[in-house]
Amino acid sequence: MKSSKSMWSLETNKKRKTTTTTEKKKLSPNPSLPDDLLLSIVARVSRLYYPTLSLVSKSFRSLLASPELYKARSLSGHTESCLYVCLQCCPGYRWFTLCRKPDQTLSNYTTKKKSSGYVLATVPIPSFQKGSFSSLVAVGSDIYNIGGSNYHGPSYSVSILDCRSHTWREAPRLRVEQLCLSASVLDRKIYVAGCYNDSDSNSLKNFLEVFDTKTQIWDTEPIACSGRIDNFLYSKSTCIDGKFHVVTEREGVIAYDSKKGRWDRTGQSLYYLIYSNSFCEIENVLYFVSDGEFMWYDTELKMWRDMEGLVGRLSRLPPDVSVRLADNSGKLAVLWEEEDLPYCRPGFTGMKKIWCVEIALEKRKSKILGKIEWFDHVLTVPAENDLVKVLAATV
């Protein structure tokens, strides 16, 4: 017969095992959540956290790229603007997206600061045709690469990056094999201006085609752009004031009014854009960084004005850095490069940092104030890498 002491010991051990098992069950996540519930939960999580969630498991990666998830996000009103960055590397191109990575500490020159938590994460996107600042545009959840790119040989091709599934698909081709082009978006239509080699006349001719992103069809008739219009070779374009503006090398700026179906000359105020890729349009206002200064274009007075309100080192960027701008839900996203390590020996190319700042914009009569929401070092890359373009997709 067992003693009362041994019986007590057995009963105590049994209770301990039961308690431990119960505690483990409470701490362990339920691995068998219904698919609909899991979909509903993830759809409400900010897209900024998706790169981290994709590391959980293969099934999570599959879920994060599924059409059902983005349908659920849309129905629940949780779509948001996400920044995508295209870098030209050696060799090829790489894509990154802005995401959250909390609890980081970075060195800001001689002072320490707590990281904003924003970083650029690599996006596993298959290789694509060469892109350029002028050939890449974003509409909704898609990024379009029109004609492959400028300066890389003739091309008809148009490809679309789906920023939900991170896959490329082909779109209807351009009608003419372009030598170079510049694309901009107006009312969800993509306006493409460029040059092609006319075999009949053995000369360069301009073209302007319009792609409707809703119907995925090019307009049946190309828009006339010959006569006294300057050659569109190596031109830049932007859409403001309801018009498609083309900046040409010799004759300045012309604008196409789709409602009136005509071209108008607009003077020389926007001519500086021909030498720069540091501009973007936000809510019908054109923003520009020139020699490190933040500026905006007054369409009524047809002149550039300085942005006010910025303070400290971000009131003016170094004049020799490469800068790219994007509309991020009505805020100005600015990315620029900064050399980190100097060239110190043959064969050592060094590294450089990519910084990002998000600026809230406030219009006050005849001026625009900028307020810095956050800024941070978001990526370090080899010095030979170059910023191509920053775009915002809605997903």
Side-chain angles (χ1 to χ4, degrees):
M1 186 174 184
K2 293 182 179 178
S3 66
S4 58
K5 184 177 181 180
S6 61
M7 289 291 289
W8 178 84
S9 179
L10 287 171
E11 188 175 342
T12 302
N13 289 336
K14 186 177 180 180
K15 285 182 178 180
R16 282 177 180 172
K17 287 180 181 180
T18 304
T19 303
T20 304
T21 303
T22 304
E23 288 177 349
K24 283 183 177 180
K25 285 182 179 180
K26 288 181 179 179
L27 293 174
S28 300
N30 188 343
S32 57
L33 282 173
D35 291 345
D36 290 346
L37 179 58
L38 185 60
L39 190 72
S40 178
I41 293 171
V42 176
R44 285 165 169 75
V45 176
S46 171
R47 182 63 150 56
L48 292 167
Y49 294 98
Y50 280 20
T52 302
L53 286 176
S54 68
L55 303 176
V56 174
S57 65
K58 289 184 178 179
S59 59
F60 258 75
R61 284 195 293 275
S62 178
L63 171 65
L64 295 174
S66 67
E68 292 78 16
L69 173 62
Y70 290 94
K71 183 178 179 180
R73 286 175 64 84
S74 179
L75 291 173
S76 60
H78 285 82
T79 56
E80 59 190 312
S81 177
C82 294
L83 283 185
Y84 281 79
V85 180
C86 180
L87 257 63
Q88 183 175 7
C89 306
C90 187
Y93 292 75
R94 293 176 65 192
W95 286 87
F96 298 83
T97 186
L98 193 69
C99 67
R100 294 288 291 174
K101 188 177 181 181
D103 303 323
Q104 296 289 298
T105 302
L106 297 177
S107 174
N108 178 20
Y109 288 89
T110 58
T111 62
K112 293 279 186 179
K113 74 181 185 71
K114 187 177 175 64
S115 169
S116 66
Y118 290 97
V119 293
L120 287 176
T122 303
V123 180
I125 295 175
S127 60
F128 77 115
Q129 290 179 320
K130 296 178 180 179
S132 73
F133 176 85
S134 295
S135 70
L136 293 166
V137 294
V139 183
S141 60
D142 294 325
I143 293 176
Y144 290 76
N145 189 23
I146 310 292
S149 73
N150 288 352
Y151 321 126
H152 292 294
S155 175
Y156 290 101
S157 70
V158 178
S159 51
I160 304 173
L161 172 63
D162 186 335
C163 294
R164 297 165 301 184
S165 61
H166 291 153
T167 56
W168 287 97
R169 67 180 187 272
E170 293 299 314
R173 302 192 312 170
L174 291 160
R175 286 188 178 82
V176 294
E177 192 176 40
Q178 58 81 26
L179 293 175
C180 76
L181 60 78
S182 184
S184 295
V185 179
L186 178 64
D187 296 329
R188 297 186 69 87
K189 290 186 176 182
I190 303 174
Y191 287 73
V192 184
C195 281
Y196 69 97
N197 191 2
D198 182 42
S199 57
D200 294 334
S201 62
N202 196 28
S203 63
L204 292 180
K205 287 192 175 181
N206 293 338
F207 73 89
L208 174 58
E209 296 191 45
V210 183
F211 185 75
D212 190 327
T213 60
K214 292 181 181 178
T215 62
Q216 294 287 293
I217 296 174
W218 292 96
D219 281 1
T220 53
E221 294 293 331
I223 296 169
C225 48
S226 56
R228 297 179 60 187
I229 297 176
D230 187 25
N231 195 294
F232 286 166
L233 192 67
Y234 308 130
S235 61
K236 294 288 178 63
S237 69
T238 187
C239 290
I240 53 170
D241 209 20
K243 299 176 183 178
F244 174 65
H245 291 69
V246 182
V247 186
T248 64
E249 279 193 306
R250 289 185 295 179
E251 296 187 30
V253 187
I254 56 174
Y256 179 73
D257 189 329
S258 61
K259 294 180 180 178
K260 297 180 180 179
R262 74 182 191 192
W263 291 94
D264 296 309
R265 297 194 180 279
T266 65
Q268 300 291 326
S269 300
L270 298 178
Y271 185 71
Y272 300 108
L273 302 185
I274 196 72
Y275 301 111
S276 173
N277 291 331
S278 304
F279 63 89
C280 79
E281 177 269 335
I282 302 176
E283 297 178 356
N284 201 37
V285 177
L286 187 64
Y287 294 89
F288 180 41
V289 174
S290 175
D291 291 328
E293 295 186 358
F294 291 85
M295 308 176 74
W296 63 278
Y297 185 70
D298 189 325
T299 55
E300 292 184 3
L301 299 178
K302 296 188 183 302
M303 63 180 291
W304 291 100
R305 293 179 174 272
D306 291 333
M307 184 188 295
E308 301 179 29
L310 300 179
V311 296
R313 63 171 291 213
L314 291 177
S315 62
R316 179 185 174 91
L317 296 176
D320 56 344
V321 299
S322 178
V323 182
R324 297 292 182 269
L325 313 180
D327 174 5
N328 192 24
S329 293
K331 297 179 181 180
L332 181 63
V334 185
L335 279 84
W336 71 97
E337 302 171 344
E338 181 180 88
E339 254 191 46
D340 184 22
L341 299 175
Y343 293 82
C344 58
R345 63 179 183 272
F348 183 77
T349 59
M351 305 294 285
K352 62 184 174 186
K353 291 179 178 179
I354 294 179
W355 291 80
C356 181
V357 60
E358 188 172 80
I359 301 173
L361 305 166
E362 181 183 351
K363 298 178 183 178
R364 291 187 183 175
K365 294 183 179 180
S366 60
K367 62 182 179 181
I368 293 180
L369 300 179
K371 180 183 178 182
I372 297 169
E373 299 267 299
W374 62 269
F375 85 95
D376 224 332
H377 158 224
V378 291
L379 185 67
T380 300
V381 294
E384 66 267 22
N385 288 189
D386 292 312
L387 274 171
V388 177
K389 194 164 188 176
V390 182
L391 307 108
T394 303
V395 292

